[in-house]
Amino acid sequence: MKIARLLHGNIETYGFVKGDKVSTKDEITFLTGVPIPYNVKDFLFDG
């Protein structure tokens, strides 16, 4: 699995890549109810 910074329209976010599939932080939060930090730095170092 890889972490990617993504641009969707004019909104920057990040997500997780596995094979040819990408799950964004917002999708994961919506589907699981688990809050994920706003940016990748916080996710990696503070989360």
Side-chain angles (χ1 to χ4, degrees):
M1 182 174 13
K2 298 176 184 178
I3 299 173
R5 190 171 71 178
L6 309 164
L7 187 60
H8 187 268
N10 62 349
I11 298 171
E12 186 177 310
T13 189
Y14 67 97
F16 303 93
V17 181
K18 185 173 182 183
D20 62 345
K21 300 193 185 323
V22 176
S23 295
T24 66
K25 128 189 137 46
D26 294 332
E27 291 172 334
I28 294 167
T29 298
F30 177 76
L31 293 172
T32 66
V34 175
I36 297 177
Y38 180 72
N39 62 47
V40 117
K41 180 183 171 213
D42 291 342
F43 176 78
L44 292 173
F45 300 107
D46 296 333

